[in-house]
């Protein structure tokens, strides 16, 4: 009889919203929203810009005043609080006002699956005939973040004969598809360092510039938005690097100058852990976070001027 009553009570709890069952362990306490957010940290886009159709038109007359309108799309996974879009002209007889607009855009997440979009408008005035053609040049600058999160195997018994089965196998990692940012972590090579009884790891992390633009400091991205930033500028000082392995931070050195080299578009971060005391193979979380500014590649529009 007691068993029947217990079964009836369990069925009643399931049917009534006022009843709750006890927690079934650690996984049941995880925030489902956080797991959902990680799904959108993919791709190699940051902010994408394009001219709206016929804004500006392909042909304008002398003394015309027209509108140039950009669609600005944050297609990556970082919210932008302070971005800038710039429109320039190569003709002294053509004036653009304002030359810079500011925007705020949220990145991809569960409520904005494709990222937020907006439009930015400029006024273009043609005061004289000048050249028969003029070119408008647009680009955007913005601060951004790349975050790669995964787990690696740490095996202090590597190269040793062991009787027990290992919990995991230590091997290199590859990240395909990017992390929802124009700068991507592409792979991590794991090299064991054995010195007597001392066991350490060296992590060789490859970084790639996938967005077609330039990596700059966050200050340039949010203030000057300068297209004239030298490609040979010290990129290492422009990128804030943070590497976390479980609850510790290894010692790291950045070699990122190649990110702005069109022949390479690659850079490297070399990290060395402290002495690892664990005795058996186990998995550990690794988080690579990069904070930087980014200047998109130029977007051009050719316009014919007639009398």
């Amino acid at each position: 009889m007691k068993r029947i009553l217990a079964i009836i009570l369990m069925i009643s709890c399931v049917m009534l919203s006022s009843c709750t069952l006890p927690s079934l362990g650690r996984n049941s306490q995880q925030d489902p929203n956080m797991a959902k957010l990680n799904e959108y940290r993919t791709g190699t886009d940051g902010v994408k810009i394009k001219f709206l159709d016929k804004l500006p038109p392909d042909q304008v007359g002398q003394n015309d005043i027209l509108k140039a309108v950009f669609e600005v799309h944050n297609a990556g996974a970082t919210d932008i609080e302070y971005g800038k879009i710039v429109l320039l002209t190569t003709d002294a007889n053509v004036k653009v006002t304002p030359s810079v607009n500011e925007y705020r855009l949220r990145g991809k997440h569960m409520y904005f699956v494709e990222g937020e979009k907006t439009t930015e408008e400029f006024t273009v005035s043609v005061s004289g005939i000048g050249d028969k053609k003029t070119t408008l040049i647009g680009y955007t600058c913005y601060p951004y973040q790349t975050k790669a999160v995964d787990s690696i195997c740490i095996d202090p018994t590597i190269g040793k004969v062991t009787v027990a089965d290992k919990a995991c196998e230590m091997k290199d990692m590859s990240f395909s598809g990017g992390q929802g940012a124009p700068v991507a972590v592409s792979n991590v090579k794991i090299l064991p360092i054995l010195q007597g009884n001392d066991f350490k790891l060296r992590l060789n992390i490859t970084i790639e510039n996938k967005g077609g633009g330039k990596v700059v400091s966050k200050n340039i991205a949010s203030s000057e938005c300068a297209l004239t930033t030298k490609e040979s500028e010290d990129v290492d000082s422009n990128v804030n690097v943070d590497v976390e392995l479980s609850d510790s931070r290894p010692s790291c050195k950045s070699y990122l100058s190649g990110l702005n080299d069109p022949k390479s578009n690659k850079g490297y971060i070399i990290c060395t852990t402290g002495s690892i005391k664990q005795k058996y193979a186990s998995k550990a979380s690794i988080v690579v976070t990069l904070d930087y500014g980014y200047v998109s590649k130029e977007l051009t529009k050719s316009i014919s001027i007639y009398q």
Side-chain angles (χ1 to χ4, degrees), residues 163-236:
V163 177
D165 292 336
K166 295 185 179 183
C168 58
E169 179 184 356
M170 194 161 68
K171 57 184 178 181
D172 298 339
M173 304 167 57
S174 293
F175 297 87
S176 61
Q179 292 86 36
V183 177
V185 178
S186 58
N187 65 70
V188 179
K189 289 187 176 181
I190 305 170
L191 306 173
I193 302 174
L194 302 172
Q195 297 175 338
N197 293 325
D198 201 20
F199 175 73
K200 300 179 181 180
L201 288 181
R202 178 166 292 137
L203 307 176
N204 292 355
I205 305 169
T206 302
I207 310 297
E208 295 189 56
N209 182 355
K210 297 278 193 177
K214 294 180 182 179
V215 179
V216 298
S217 72
K218 295 177 72 172
N219 291 335
I220 290 178
S222 61
S223 58
E224 299 175 29
C225 196
L227 188 61
T228 56
T229 301
K230 296 180 180 179
E231 292 185 10
S232 59
E233 185 181 357
D234 183 12
V235 182
D236 292 323

Side-chain angles (χ1 to χ4, degrees), residues 10-303:
M10 289 180 66
I11 294 173
S12 300
C13 280
V14 172
M15 295 178 64
L16 296 174
S17 60
S18 59
C19 290
T20 57
L21 294 175
S23 171
L24 298 178
R26 182 178 177 183
N27 289 337
S28 66
Q29 297 176 7
Q30 291 180 347
D31 184 353
N33 290 335
M34 291 301 295
K36 193 72 175 177
L37 286 173
N38 289 335
E39 295 180 13
Y40 305 108
R41 200 170 284 277
T42 59
T44 56
D45 288 322
V47 177
K48 299 164 65 177
I49 60 173
K50 67 177 182 180
F51 287 108
L52 293 187
D53 188 35
K54 298 182 180 180
L55 292 171
D58 295 329
Q59 291 185 331
V60 298
Q62 186 177 357
N63 299 319
D64 276 358
I65 297 176
L66 56 136
K67 297 294 183 183
V69 182
F70 288 95
E71 178 187 271
V72 186
H73 177 201
N74 187 357
T78 301
D79 292 344
I80 297 174
E81 293 295 328
Y82 195 75
K84 289 192 173 185
I85 184 167
V86 178
L87 185 62
L88 305 174
T89 177
T90 58
D91 192 335
N93 293 301
V94 179
K95 183 179 180 181
V96 177
T97 54
S99 60
V100 181
N101 276 347
E102 300 172 2
Y103 61 84
R104 296 176 61 186
L105 287 174
R106 283 170 285 188
K108 295 188 295 183
H109 56 76
M110 63 188 302
Y111 300 112
F112 290 92
V113 178
E114 297 181 352
E116 194 173 14
K117 297 179 182 180
T118 189
T119 56
E120 295 295 337
E121 183 176 300
F122 296 82
T123 299
V124 181
S125 304
V126 182
S127 59
I129 189 63
D131 296 330
K132 292 183 179 180
K133 282 192 175 182
T134 188
T135 301
L136 298 178
I137 303 170
Y139 62 94
T140 182
C141 307
Y142 52 94
Y144 227 63
Q145 183 183 86
T146 298
K147 179 172 284 190
V149 181
D150 211 323
S151 61
I152 66 172
C153 180
I154 299 178
D155 182 9
T157 67
I158 189 168
K160 299 178 182 179
V161 177
T162 58
V163 177
D165 292 336
K166 295 185 179 183
C168 58
E169 179 184 356
M170 194 161 68
K171 57 184 178 181
D172 298 339
M173 304 167 57
S174 293
F175 297 87
S176 61
Q179 292 86 36
V183 177
V185 178
S186 58
N187 65 70
V188 179
K189 289 187 176 181
I190 305 170
L191 306 173
I193 302 174
L194 302 172
Q195 297 175 338
N197 293 325
D198 201 20
F199 175 73
K200 300 179 181 180
L201 288 181
R202 178 166 292 137
L203 307 176
N204 292 355
I205 305 169
T206 302
I207 310 297
E208 295 189 56
N209 182 355
K210 297 278 193 177
K214 294 180 182 179
V215 179
V216 298
S217 72
K218 295 177 72 172
N219 291 335
I220 290 178
S222 61
S223 58
E224 299 175 29
C225 196
L227 188 61
T228 56
T229 301
K230 296 180 180 179
E231 292 185 10
S232 59
E233 185 181 357
D234 183 12
V235 182
D236 292 323
S237 63
N238 293 336
V239 182
N240 182 45
V241 175
D242 182 65
V243 179
E244 185 176 358
L245 188 61
S246 288
D247 295 326
S248 65
R249 283 179 167 79
S251 175
C252 298
K253 176 66 177 176
S254 300
Y255 304 90
L256 301 176
S257 59
L259 291 178
N260 285 344
D261 182 353
K263 296 180 181 179
S264 168
N265 290 323
K266 288 185 180 181
Y268 303 92
I269 302 169
I270 311 299
C271 300
T272 304
T273 69
S275 181
I276 297 173
K277 303 300 182 182
Q278 69 185 55
K279 296 181 179 180
Y280 305 102
S282 64
K283 287 189 175 183
S285 63
I286 181 171
V287 182
V288 181
T289 305
L290 310 173
D291 287 286
Y292 50 91
Y294 204 77
V295 180
S296 71
K297 60 183 177 182
E298 298 176 18
L299 178 68
T300 60
K301 171 75 174 183
S302 181
I303 299 175

